[in-house]
């Protein structure tokens, strides 16, 4: 995963899914099992910083945007209310989605992106 975001939601399950649709994501029948260990690891790391996440039920879903980019979400639910969402992307494509979700009232708590450094070999004009 190259991008991971933790969002505070506090909405009913149906309303949270509607918010995701409005943000341009739709639920797809994807293989979330392949990413379950990654989501478990992320949730464990986040639970160290936010200990009250431990007692919530986790529901994993696969999402896709209009361009076909895949996203994986872990909804942390209690009594039909989605309290938090851990949204992940194999590519650095979360910024636009996060902007639309925060405009709908979701609060961004944590955003971690893995950036690659571009290095070029030294050229003859470089100062030594």
């Amino acid at each position: 995963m190259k991008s991971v975001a933790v969002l505070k939601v506090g909405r009913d399950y149906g309303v949270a899914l509607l918010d995701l649709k409005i943000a341009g994501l739709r639920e797809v029948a994807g293989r979330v099992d392949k990413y379950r260990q990654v989501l478990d690891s992320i949730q464990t790391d986040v639970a160290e910083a936010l200990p009250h996440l431990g007692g919530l039920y986790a529901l994993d879903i696969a999402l896709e945007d209009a361009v076909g980019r895949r996203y994986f979400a872990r909804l942390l639910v209690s009594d039909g209310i989605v309290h938090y969402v851990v949204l992940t992307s194999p590519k650095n494509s979360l910024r636009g989605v996060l902007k639309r979700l925060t405009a709908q009232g979701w609060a961004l708590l944590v955003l971690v992106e893995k950036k690659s450094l571009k290095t070029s070999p030294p050229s003859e004009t470089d100062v030594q």
Side-chain angles (χ1 to χ4, degrees), residues 35-120:
Y35 295 97
R36 195 169 312 275
Q37 286 182 335
V38 173
L39 291 170
D40 287 340
S41 174
I42 292 167
Q43 183 178 353
T44 302
D45 292 342
V46 170
E48 289 179 12
L50 304 168
H52 57 280
L53 297 182
L56 300 174
Y57 176 74
L59 176 66
D60 297 333
I61 59 172
L63 302 163
E64 188 175 76
D65 64 4
V67 183
R69 290 181 290 227
R70 284 286 173 118
Y71 301 87
F72 299 96
R74 173 163 284 184
L75 288 78
L76 300 170
V77 182
S78 173
D79 296 328
I81 304 293
V82 178
H83 294 283
Y84 296 92
V85 172
V86 178
L87 188 61
T88 62
S89 171
K91 299 182 180 187
N92 283 334
S93 56
L94 280 180
R95 291 220 179 245
V97 173
L98 293 175
K99 189 174 183 179
R100 291 187 293 270
L101 288 172
T102 55
Q104 295 176 37
W106 292 32
L108 179 62
L109 300 177
V110 177
L111 174 61
V112 178
E113 291 182 321
K114 181 180 176 182
K115 299 279 185 177
S116 59
L117 294 174
K118 294 184 179 182
T119 58
S120 59

Side-chain angles (χ1 to χ4, degrees), residues 17-29:
L17 287 182
L18 181 62
D19 285 347
L20 288 168
K21 284 183 184 179
I22 291 170
L25 299 176
R26 63 182 173 90
E27 191 173 358
V28 294

